[in-house]
Amino acid sequence: MPSRSRLSPGGTPAPGREAAAGMPVRVVHLAFFLLLGSALARYAQRHGAQPAAPAVLALAGALAVAYVCAYVLGPRPTAADTEGSSAAERLPQAGQPPQGERPSRDERPPRAGRLRLAVLVALWAVLVALAPSFAWCAVPLFYTALRTLPVRAASVLVAFLTLFVVGAQLRLDHRVDVDVLVGTPAVALLATAVFTHMDRQAARQAALIDDLVRTRRELAATERREGTLAERQRLAMEIHDTLAQGLSSQQMLLQAADRLWDSDPALAREHVRTAASVAGHSLAEARRFVHDLAPADLAAGGGLQAALHALADRETTAERSVTCVVDGTPGPRPLPERVQSELLRIAQGALANVREHSGATRAALTLTCLDDQVRLDIADNGRGLDPAALPERADGVRGRGLPAIRARAARLGGTLTVESAPGDGTVVSAAVPLPPIPAEVPAP
């Protein structure tokens, strides 16, 4: 038998067992009252005129009332108890005896439950002593004892009830009947074995359900954690490609204006005006970022082409010119919004690297739209670099540029290539595949 902690504080079967029993519990209640009613009717018909009849009828009524109070109208498990019933309460844990072994002394049912069962058995025993025809009411009591008591105590009580039934049948027949001597204990043994097996299966099924529920909760928690980490990474990339880059541009422009303030006031004021323009765009990005994280250039309308042209104009300064060329069209369908947003962020990140690290005087954005993919190239004539020395991941506070661009391309299922050599400029190319256009079905 499983662990005997299946009883609720009131002595009734624990919620897990009651739920596992379900309809059989109601069937046992019905069987008890049918057997009691049929025995009562038979006794009243055959022995209603005997002097012991009033006592038998009174005991039968008392037995019915006691059963109703104990198991039909008795205390029921609460919802909180049901939620608290788990596999850990129904199956042995580490250090506890496995199923089938003797339960510990601490696993005895509450006193109230034992008392109710004892009252029922006592009333039934006295009733059977006066009228043996009530003996078969013991069958529902078998089930009640098995689902209420520990396995050893329940076995002892079932044996006692079986002996009482055999004795009552022998009194009725006034002879030794081999069928009664052998058949009744065999039926009791079979019923006990069937209930024990069902009880174990119910406990295992309940434990399996608990494990599945716990696994589902753990999986959901893991998915939430992974989603949170992915969202944090995405937000970090968005902040780097918008606010951080804008602040970096402003810092460089203001530092240049400070150096030229005395020698070339006109150029210094131009740098200040450019910094103010960058600050205004960064403010728009911040507001859009708070609203829905969409790039401000795309939110203004015009699609990716217009956004890239606006980016090129904004990045063009006295020290560096940036041009934008669009080759081809996306086709009958516009590019997905996610693709447009990621490609614009890639262009922003690449131009930020050009501005901060390359020392280039010219840069070019080239958007090439094909049937099956879209390609964005960012080329400059700067000092170049060694592609083999580029980090695959962001390292430290800075250095998120190329790793972030590579991550964005990978999120779209695309690839990022860097072609460069020291002193020979750099070309960063992002190729993103496009979903195929479904073939039109000809009209019949």
Side-chain angles (χ1 to χ4, degrees), residues 143-230:
Y143 179 82
T144 302
L146 288 169
R147 72 188 183 97
T148 302
L149 297 176
V151 59
R152 176 168 293 185
S155 300
V156 172
L157 182 56
V158 168
F160 168 75
L161 296 175
T162 303
L163 291 177
F164 229 80
V165 171
V166 171
Q169 293 300 310
L170 293 179
R171 284 177 55 195
L172 285 175
D173 293 341
H174 303 289
R175 62 186 178 86
V176 178
D177 191 339
V178 178
D179 290 338
V180 173
L181 289 175
V182 177
T184 303
V187 171
L189 181 62
L190 177 62
T192 303
V194 170
F195 174 84
T196 302
H197 176 73
M198 293 177 61
D199 191 53
R200 290 177 177 175
Q201 292 297 111
R204 290 168 182 164
Q205 183 180 16
L208 178 60
I209 293 174
D210 285 339
D211 290 340
L212 291 176
V213 171
R214 184 174 61 255
T215 301
R216 185 175 62 181
R217 289 175 180 171
E218 292 175 354
L219 180 60
T222 301
E223 291 178 348
R224 284 194 297 270
R225 287 194 297 269
E226 292 178 352
T228 300
L229 293 176

Side-chain angles (χ1 to χ4, degrees), residues 105-393:
R105 296 178 182 270
D106 297 333
E107 294 174 336
R108 289 179 292 180
R111 187 181 301 273
R114 300 199 306 271
L115 181 60
R116 285 197 293 268
L117 183 60
V119 169
L120 285 177
V121 172
L123 289 174
W124 174 83
V126 174
L127 184 61
V128 173
L130 295 177
S133 58
F134 286 88
W136 288 111
C137 293
V139 174
L141 295 180
F142 286 174
Y143 179 82
T144 302
L146 288 169
R147 72 188 183 97
T148 302
L149 297 176
V151 59
R152 176 168 293 185
S155 300
V156 172
L157 182 56
V158 168
F160 168 75
L161 296 175
T162 303
L163 291 177
F164 229 80
V165 171
V166 171
Q169 293 300 310
L170 293 179
R171 284 177 55 195
L172 285 175
D173 293 341
H174 303 289
R175 62 186 178 86
V176 178
D177 191 339
V178 178
D179 290 338
V180 173
L181 289 175
V182 177
T184 303
V187 171
L189 181 62
L190 177 62
T192 303
V194 170
F195 174 84
T196 302
H197 176 73
M198 293 177 61
D199 191 53
R200 290 177 177 175
Q201 292 297 111
R204 290 168 182 164
Q205 183 180 16
L208 178 60
I209 293 174
D210 285 339
D211 290 340
L212 291 176
V213 171
R214 184 174 61 255
T215 301
R216 185 175 62 181
R217 289 175 180 171
E218 292 175 354
L219 180 60
T222 301
E223 291 178 348
R224 284 194 297 270
R225 287 194 297 269
E226 292 178 352
T228 300
L229 293 176
E231 184 65 12
R232 287 177 180 175
Q233 182 181 6
R234 189 176 73 88
L235 291 177
M237 293 167 58
E238 293 287 345
I239 293 173
H240 172 270
D241 292 343
T242 56
L243 303 180
Q245 290 179 4
L247 292 173
S248 176
S249 298
Q250 295 172 52
Q251 182 184 34
M252 294 177 62
L253 289 168
L254 292 176
Q255 288 174 349
D258 182 64
R259 289 193 301 268
L260 298 173
W261 195 261
D262 295 328
S263 60
D264 193 348
L267 183 57
R269 284 192 292 271
E270 179 66 23
H271 286 331
V272 172
R273 285 192 293 269
T274 304
S277 175
V278 172
H281 182 76
S282 297
L283 180 60
E285 284 282 3
R287 289 171 177 168
R288 180 63 59 179
F289 183 81
V290 171
H291 183 259
D292 58 2
L293 300 182
D297 290 332
L298 289 177
L304 180 60
Q305 294 91 329
L308 291 176
H309 280 292
L311 176 62
D313 294 339
R314 194 166 54 251
E315 290 290 333
T316 297
T317 63
E319 293 87 4
R320 181 177 53 258
S321 64
V322 180
T323 59
C324 178
V325 177
V326 177
D327 184 11
T329 58
R333 295 185 303 174
L335 293 175
E337 292 184 1
R338 181 165 176 258
V339 173
Q340 295 187 52
S341 176
E342 295 290 356
L343 287 177
L344 179 59
R345 296 303 190 201
I346 289 174
Q348 290 174 339
L351 288 180
N353 286 338
V354 172
R355 181 177 62 245
E356 296 183 18
H357 306 298
S358 71
T361 59
R362 295 192 310 275
L365 297 175
T366 304
L367 180 67
T368 304
C369 299
L370 304 175
D371 293 337
D372 58 346
Q373 70 172 359
V374 58
R375 187 180 186 91
L376 178 63
D377 299 319
I378 305 94
D380 67 77
N381 65 344
R383 63 177 62 96
L385 50 84
D386 182 8
L390 292 176
E392 292 293 327
R393 297 176 178 270

